[in-house]
Amino acid sequence: MSLRTALAAAAVLAFAAPAFAQDAPAADPAVAAAAQAEAAFEAKAEAFQQAMGAMQGEMQTALTAAGADQAKANADMDAIAARYQPQADAFANELDAFVTSQLPVMPPEAQAQMAQMGPALRAQITGAPATIKAGLIQQAAAVAAPVAPQ
């Protein structure tokens, strides 16, 4: 599951609560609060995706600049990942807080799904810098590998 898939899954499950809450009158403060929380979380998710995209670009530049020096590429990419890791950790905490705030208004099935998927989603989010690094290294290795004649 990619980072985008994980974020989409989290969004679908977490945002299920406001969809169910829409049956209540629009003036209900709980509905307004849920919508506000959803919008705030959505903005944080977008910011996180942009940060991971920026990190990927920096890593790609470092990988290209290192050329054949794999040790330098790894060291440079590790330094980049370390700079972005606090953002991944913070977003995972934001996801936890958002889901926790939405659990009371979720139907039992959605609560059960979040309980089951929550730890995996959190691990994917906190592991995003390392996952992106590994993917870039794998892509570079595939490009560098000679094509075997058939």
Side-chain angles (χ1 to χ4, degrees):
M1 183 186 296
S2 73
L3 176 61
R4 287 180 195 249
T5 304
L7 290 173
V12 166
L13 292 173
F15 299 152
F20 289 110
Q22 287 176 0
D23 292 339
D28 185 353
V31 173
Q36 198 171 32
E38 179 181 340
F41 181 75
E42 195 172 305
K44 290 173 185 176
E46 180 62 32
F48 177 68
Q49 284 185 313
Q50 289 177 359
M52 291 299 100
M55 182 191 69
Q56 184 173 358
E58 287 181 39
M59 285 183 171
Q60 183 63 56
T61 299
L63 185 60
T64 301
D69 188 347
Q70 291 179 353
K72 178 171 177 31
N74 272 323
D76 292 348
M77 292 171 77
D78 283 344
I80 294 166
R83 280 198 339 264
Y84 282 90
Q85 188 62 52
Q87 287 176 292
D89 295 341
F91 182 68
N93 290 337
E94 292 289 342
L95 174 65
D96 289 344
F98 178 73
V99 169
T100 299
S101 75
Q102 298 300 303
L103 282 175
V105 294
M106 286 182 174
E109 309 83 50
Q111 289 179 7
Q113 278 186 310
M114 280 312 302
Q116 184 178 14
M117 291 182 61
L121 291 172
R122 185 180 217 319
Q124 282 194 312
I125 290 168
T126 59
T131 301
I132 291 170
K133 175 191 170 200
L136 289 171
I137 290 173
Q138 185 178 18
Q139 286 176 348
V143 168
V147 178
Q150 293 183 2

